[in-house]
Amino acid sequence: MSRKTIEDYKYTGDTKFDIKGFKTDDTGELLDRSEAVDEFVHNLLKINKLQQKLYAERKEGVIFVFQAMDAAGKDGVIRTVFNTLSPHGVKEFCFKVPSAEEASHDYLWRFWQALPARGNISIFNRSYYEDVLIGRVHELWKKQVRPDRLQGIDIIEQRYEQIKEYEKYLFNTGTRVVKIFLNVSKDEQARRFISRIDEERKNWKVSSGDIKERNYWDSYMDAFETMVNKTSTKNNPWYVVPADKKWYARLTVSRIVLKTLEEIDPKWPKVDEADFETVQEFRKELMASLGGTYEEADKPLPEFANPGIIAAQIVENEERSKIVAKKKRRKESGFAAVEKLLKDKPVISGLDEIVEAVANAGENYGNAE
Ligand code: ATP
Ligand code: MG
């Protein structure tokens, strides 16, 4: 099977999105999650580096919008794909049922405050698209107050146009909007709801409201399909991501985020020449104040903030110093070892522990999975 790319899931307004024909359990050319780990971790590492440049360059802002039915895996995708990013420069906004104050304004009002500054990323966990999803399914606009001159207008139809214009405006003023619809099947949603009910640690995620919305499944599918078809453009595309397999959805979103940042292609800013000379003078003064020599500062602690970074560091380490000699399955065994280590021992005290696990993993570990 030829390799699938995110282009296969991208809608720019040229082709029609047919939700009934969409394969929600697609995994591209990959057979199972073990085939995704390597690329996923590399993607995170690349995303991390690009984001540092994006932030330093301060030219373009990016919004990643996530929409989905409940239990499609929005939160997990956001947690895993964005958790290697530096907290400065990235913010998540969860948009819930509008507050009384929000509802007393136009529906786009609450999003202005959440727009990213240049160089920053905003993650919209739900967005103004709710106004053409739940808003359309339950005809919520009928309950909203509006002047007489606006009675009898097709509000939802107007909103598609307004949203398109809004995103066009954002694009032309320096902010990209990348929209991601995690498309899960009704059966998979049922399985996930059951596990939320059965597993104590997931109980907090169950709400009777979610179960009620499930009864409107077909209307929601209609609303999602129309949303994608009416608001996809070349500059602000929709990606429809198969979401029945969590590992594939996460890999695909990492590909989308990476591709977006690669397209932006941020560069380290250059110091301007006059400044550079001043700085060189300053350097001489600093050196003189230290008596002409200095030793480099100690290396900081490794960035062990999260498993993504740990795994990314493993890749770098493995590549740089060839810690694991058994070349053939080197990377796979390294990843598997880190995964196992993290499962047994969620708090890792140092790089040595990881290096040892990788080194001890041996050739066959990857095969055993
Ligand atoms: P989780 O359940 O994973 O914590 P969530 O995003 O599902 O996250 P909830 O508080 O369960 O959070 O749901 C938020 C609800 O707010 C959703 O049902 C969504 O449809 C609703 N909502 C968001 N925006 C609007 C809007 N503009 N009008 C009406 N309802 C909205
Ligand atoms: Mg919910």
Side-chain angles (χ1 to χ4, degrees):
M1 205 188 301
S2 69
R3 189 182 188 279
K4 276 226 167 154
T5 72
I6 52 170
E7 297 300 313
D8 295 305
Y9 305 126
K10 184 176 181 180
Y11 292 86
T12 57
D14 296 338
T15 50
K16 252 197 142 19
F17 167 51
D18 163 31
I19 202 162
K20 288 205 181 75
F22 191 91
K23 209 168 160 305
T24 55
D25 63 352
D26 190 23
T27 59
E29 76 289 4
L30 304 177
L31 295 177
D32 61 49
R33 65 187 284 282
S34 69
E35 296 188 347
V37 180
D38 186 89
E39 187 197 331
F40 182 65
V41 173
H42 274 90
N43 287 353
L44 296 189
L45 185 66
K46 290 180 198 156
I47 290 169
N48 173 297
K49 299 210 156 146
L50 282 165
Q51 185 238 338
Q52 293 185 33
K53 284 195 203 170
L54 182 83
Y55 185 76
E57 192 185 49
R58 292 181 179 275
K59 261 195 189 168
E60 181 147 14
V62 192
I63 304 174
F64 290 102
V65 171
F66 288 90
Q67 289 295 157
M69 291 300 283
D70 263 300
K74 262 188 300 106
D75 294 357
V77 161
I78 293 169
R79 195 176 60 244
T80 54
V81 175
F82 292 94
N83 78 0
T84 62
L85 299 192
S86 169
H88 49 249
V90 183
K91 242 188 200 168
E92 185 195 14
F93 297 87
C94 299
F95 294 104
K96 314 266 181 187
V97 179
S99 67
E101 193 194 11
E102 288 168 345
S104 70
H105 290 82
D106 70 277
Y107 71 102
L108 291 176
W109 179 78
R110 61 176 173 163
F111 300 96
W112 290 100
Q113 289 90 330
L115 298 183
R118 295 179 206 291
N120 288 46
I121 294 175
S122 289
I123 301 161
F124 284 7
N125 188 337
R126 303 185 186 271
S127 66
Y128 39 81
Y129 282 104
E130 291 292 328
D131 292 279
V132 293
L133 293 167
I134 193 166
R136 172 179 146 142
V137 170
H138 295 293
E139 303 189 318
L140 298 177
W141 79 91
K142 289 191 171 164
K143 295 183 204 123
Q144 290 160 356
V145 181
R146 58 176 43 84
D148 294 346
R149 64 184 171 79
L150 297 179
Q151 302 302 335
I153 286 176
D154 189 337
I155 295 292
I156 296 293
E157 207 52 48
Q158 257 194 358
R159 281 182 188 164
Y160 295 124
E161 282 309 308
Q162 288 160 347
I163 287 172
K164 243 165 77 167
E165 285 298 318
Y166 181 58
E167 291 179 349
K168 185 173 163 195
Y169 162 83
L170 291 176
F171 188 84
N172 290 335
T173 51
T175 305
R176 273 177 210 235
V177 189
V178 177
K179 305 167 294 191
I180 298 170
F181 163 35
L182 299 177
N183 191 8
V184 78
S185 69
K186 199 174 181 187
D187 282 354
E188 181 58 25
Q189 190 199 47
R191 287 189 281 273
R192 292 188 191 172
F193 278 162
I194 292 170
S195 84
R196 287 180 177 190
I197 293 164
D198 291 353
E199 290 178 46
E200 204 176 324
R201 73 186 170 91
K202 294 183 183 170
N203 281 174
W204 66 279
K205 286 218 153 221
V206 190
S207 85
S208 52
D210 295 349
I211 292 155
K212 203 183 93 222
E213 289 312 306
R214 186 175 158 81
N215 297 328
Y216 298 92
W217 188 271
D218 292 344
S219 308
Y220 269 107
M221 293 305 109
D222 243 26
F224 275 110
E225 187 180 71
T226 312
M227 169 192 84
V228 171
N229 285 325
K230 294 218 179 222
T231 63
S232 292
T233 64
K234 193 174 137 288
N235 293 331
N236 301 114
W238 267 105
Y239 289 94
V240 183
V241 173
D244 283 0
K245 301 281 183 227
K246 284 184 184 175
W247 61 267
Y248 190 67
R250 291 175 189 190
L251 176 70
T252 306
V253 172
S254 78
R255 287 173 174 174
I256 295 167
V257 173
L258 177 59
K259 171 90 182 313
T260 305
L261 297 182
E262 280 174 348
E263 266 175 29
I264 293 173
D265 192 21
K267 308 265 190 319
W268 293 115
K270 290 228 182 335
V271 184
D272 83 35
E273 233 163 90
D275 243 17
F276 188 72
E277 276 170 28
T278 319
V279 168
Q280 289 304 320
E281 283 306 311
F282 188 42
R283 185 179 191 283
K284 280 185 202 149
E285 282 172 33
L286 291 171
M287 284 299 275
S289 79
L290 291 173
T293 57
Y294 83 105
E295 278 183 31
E296 237 183 282
D298 284 340
K299 285 212 183 320
L301 287 171
E303 294 180 21
F304 278 171
N306 57 57
I309 292 261
I310 293 173
Q313 287 188 336
I314 290 293
V315 180
E316 280 212 314
N317 250 320
E318 284 194 52
E319 278 173 0
R320 237 184 301 157
S321 52
K322 310 259 184 275
I323 289 162
V324 181
K326 294 175 180 165
K327 253 194 148 163
K328 216 173 76 204
R329 298 193 60 85
R330 186 164 52 85
K331 271 181 218 150
E332 264 171 17
S333 64
F335 289 121
V338 176
E339 279 202 319
K340 183 168 179 300
L341 186 67
L342 288 169
K343 215 161 92 198
D344 297 345
K345 199 165 181 283
V347 180
I348 308 289
S349 56
L351 187 62
D352 289 352
E353 221 172 320
I354 297 172
V355 171
E356 200 186 322
V358 175
N360 290 339
E363 191 167 11
N364 294 323
Y365 195 88
N367 290 332
E369 278 194 317

